[in-house]
Amino acid sequence: MGDDGCSTVSVTVLVPGVLRAECGGSSTLALRSGPTLGALLDELAACQPRLHRRIRSEQSVIRRYVNVYVDGEDCRLTGVLATPLRAGAEVQILPSVAGG
Amino acid sequence: MAHVLCIGTEKGLFTARSDDDRRSWEIGVPQFQMTNVYAVGVDKRSSTNRLLAGVTSSHFGPSVAVSDDLGATWSEPDEPPLAFPDAAGVALERVWQFAASPTAAGVVYAGTQPSALFKSTDGGQTYDMMPGLWNHPHRPQWGAGFGGQAIHTVLPHPSDPDRLLVAMSTGGVYRSEDAGVSWNPANKGIKAYFFPDPWPEFGQCVHKVARDAGDPERLYAQNHHGVYRSDDGGDSWGSIADGLPTDFGFTMVAHPSKPGVLYTFPIEADGRRYPPDFRCRVYRSTDAGATWKALDNGLPTDDFYPVVLRDAMCTDDAAVTGVYFGTRSGEVFGSADEGDSWSLIAEHLPDVLCVRAFQV
């Protein structure tokens, strides 16, 4: 249980090279969050705001050309922000294939 | 004495510097690579000539950054520097325009997509949305041009801090006389040919508005067809398109110190977006749009196809005014003699979206 009484899980976030400057150069982040992807991104907004705002807009919507995979599954196919996180989950941020 | 030229493009911000009175330019490596830079502002009130940049990554969204070393390094806060409040229900797509207040130190306005006006009181580092315009009852009827729905013109009054003018595509011109609390449309005389009623109260696709150097009530507007002047602060508008080869275009630039002098780069038509006769020509008026003169001394003489976007033309603040424009094919031309003669400053850049120039 977390400090606020909510259940929490340990999660590893994999940061793509193009975004590492936004979190001090780290390629991975170890976080504890609530048991959904939305809760994890809220935690990311609190502890890594520069990284977070590259991933989600101020309306908390994952940006169109950013993909988030939870244990290898595209979150847009598994409930988006409601995607459940297991203890030890691996969350990978990847820019999509787009651009000109 | 040096001259600085900021060139915002589809793939980064280029900064050029001239140390020989604009005869030659050195262009630095692009900043914000792989972002489009629709807006650059220069706050000449600051001791550092602070630069402001609105940058948008197609993947990672928009942001705003500032530089206090003429573009060598840039900074932005960790938290979003410019964001819509939760209740707005929308997210920032792009910053289209910066305007430093001429009357209040540290105040900078930003026009955005979707159409909203933001205000900074810390020199352009962080912004809050101004709710008066966002809550305007007309807003649900404002449309979007091909480039999106955006406020691309922000003109604070030069001496009255309560008076602001904005222009948007589409929606038209709006004015406030109470520091942005309330707003009223100011489009009387501006035609909107694309509506069943071509003379609506609002909804016009204004492309750019500029204010005369000598008379703050005199305004110039380039529209989506139609070139206009207002002599009463926007109460009414009349055509100044006679003497131009066409009334379509995006740019409208007023000379910074000579009343009645203005510049534009005409485009043939909405449905034919090439320079008229495929010729690269700037048009200048020295009598507030009554007559126009084509300027092409030093510009390309071959067939010329690219256009100049709304913020891709500017003047500088040198004693003899410089004029600059960039094209969608990545060329930048400059004149150090108010448009009488021109030379190529840069080529092979990405599409040029905006230019801003100043003397340091």
Side-chain angles (χ1 to χ4, degrees):
Chain A
M1 302 288 280
D3 294 342
D4 59 0
C6 299
S7 61
T8 60
V9 292
S10 298
V11 179
T12 299
V13 177
L14 306 182
V15 182
V18 69
L19 286 178
R20 288 174 195 163
E22 310 295 354
C23 57
S26 300
S27 59
T28 62
L29 300 171
L31 298 176
R32 292 187 65 80
S33 86
T36 65
L37 178 60
L40 172 67
L41 292 176
D42 289 345
E43 176 64 22
L44 200 64
C47 66
Q48 296 286 351
R50 288 181 72 96
L51 175 61
H52 173 262
R53 66 186 172 95
R54 311 305 188 199
I55 299 168
R56 283 203 298 185
S57 75
E58 64 262 47
Q59 293 294 326
S60 296
V61 175
I62 296 173
R63 298 193 184 280
R64 180 180 177 186
Y65 295 117
V66 173
N67 295 331
V68 181
Y69 295 86
V70 176
D71 291 327
E73 297 290 331
D74 183 346
C75 78
R76 290 190 172 92
L77 304 176
T78 56
V80 198
L81 299 181
T83 300
L85 299 180
R86 64 175 178 84
E90 188 175 82
V91 175
Q92 187 169 16
I93 314 295
L94 284 175
S96 68
V97 180
Chain B
M1 193 71 74
H3 294 79
V4 177
L5 172 62
C6 299
I7 307 164
T9 78
E10 283 275 8
K11 294 182 183 176
L13 173 63
F14 297 76
T15 302
R17 180 185 175 101
S18 173
D19 291 305
D20 58 2
D21 195 23
R22 300 166 288 184
R23 284 187 290 277
S24 65
W25 296 83
E26 183 172 343
I27 301 175
V29 296
Q31 303 285 324
F32 309 110
Q33 293 183 15
M34 292 306 294
T35 69
N36 56 59
V37 182
Y38 273 70
V40 172
V42 184
D43 189 352
K44 293 283 288 186
R45 304 164 309 174
S46 71
S47 59
T48 61
N49 292 305
R50 171 170 285 177
L51 303 183
L52 312 155
V55 304
T56 304
S57 160
S58 57
H59 283 89
F60 306 119
S63 193
V64 172
V66 302
S67 172
D68 288 319
D69 55 12
L70 300 179
T73 61
W74 294 81
S75 65
E76 56 181 292
D78 288 346
E79 301 291 338
L82 192 157
F84 280 88
D86 289 346
V90 299
L92 176 69
E93 294 179 48
R94 176 171 289 142
V95 173
W96 281 74
Q97 189 78 170
F98 295 105
S101 166
T103 55
V107 172
V108 176
Y109 298 97
T112 67
Q113 175 186 343
S115 288
L117 185 63
F118 285 72
K119 182 179 181 179
S120 169
T121 57
D122 60 7
Q125 297 183 91
T126 62
Y127 297 78
D128 291 312
M129 192 187 76
M130 299 178 73
L133 190 58
W134 181 255
N135 294 327
H136 198 286
H138 292 172
R139 186 174 63 81
Q141 298 174 70
W142 295 342
F146 184 71
Q149 184 208 60
I151 289 181
H152 50 65
T153 296
V154 182
L155 293 176
H157 191 277
S159 60
D160 185 345
D162 287 339
R163 295 177 62 188
L164 291 163
L165 182 147
V166 301
M168 66 184 84
S169 299
T170 64
V173 176
Y174 281 74
R175 293 177 302 179
S176 174
E177 297 182 347
D178 54 11
V181 176
S182 63
W183 295 83
N184 287 299
N187 300 293
K188 187 178 178 183
I190 299 178
K191 191 173 184 178
Y193 78 91
F194 41 85
F195 286 138
D197 171 9
W199 304 102
E201 180 187 22
F202 64 94
Q204 283 81 351
C205 189
V206 181
H207 285 177
K208 199 68 193 172
V209 180
R211 193 188 299 277
D212 186 77
D215 180 358
E217 304 308 313
R218 176 167 277 183
L219 303 161
Y220 308 102
Q222 172 66 61
N223 265 57
H224 194 104
H225 281 299
V227 186
Y228 298 96
R229 188 183 78 220
S230 173
D231 294 327
D232 50 21
D235 287 344
S236 62
W237 299 84
S239 177
I240 54 170
D242 285 351
L244 287 170
T246 165
D247 66 354
F248 194 82
F250 288 100
T251 58
M252 181 53 69
V253 174
H255 192 286
S257 58
K258 289 185 177 177
V261 179
L262 58 156
Y263 301 87
T264 190
F265 189 96
I267 297 170
E268 186 168 330
D270 175 9
R272 282 186 58 80
R273 297 190 183 204
Y274 309 102
D277 302 321
F278 306 131
R279 294 186 63 185
C280 182
R281 290 181 297 195
V282 172
Y283 279 73
R284 179 179 64 196
S285 175
T286 57
D287 51 14
T291 61
W292 294 90
K293 179 182 180 184
L295 309 173
D296 59 5
N297 180 18
L299 293 177
T301 55
D302 294 343
D303 284 354
F304 192 84
Y305 300 100
V307 301
V308 179
L309 297 178
R310 58 170 52 87
D311 271 301
M313 175 180 271
C314 74
T315 55
D316 64 22
D317 57 351
V320 178
T321 296
V323 190
Y324 308 84
F325 69 93
T327 71
R328 294 205 70 178
S329 58
E331 299 154 302
V332 180
F333 298 95
S335 167
D337 54 12
E338 307 200 340
D340 290 339
S341 63
W342 298 85
S343 60
L344 181 69
I345 293 175
E347 58 185 336
H348 311 311
L349 302 182
D351 307 34
V352 177
L353 303 173
C354 66
V355 291
R356 289 293 182 271
F358 57 101
Q359 183 174 271
V360 293

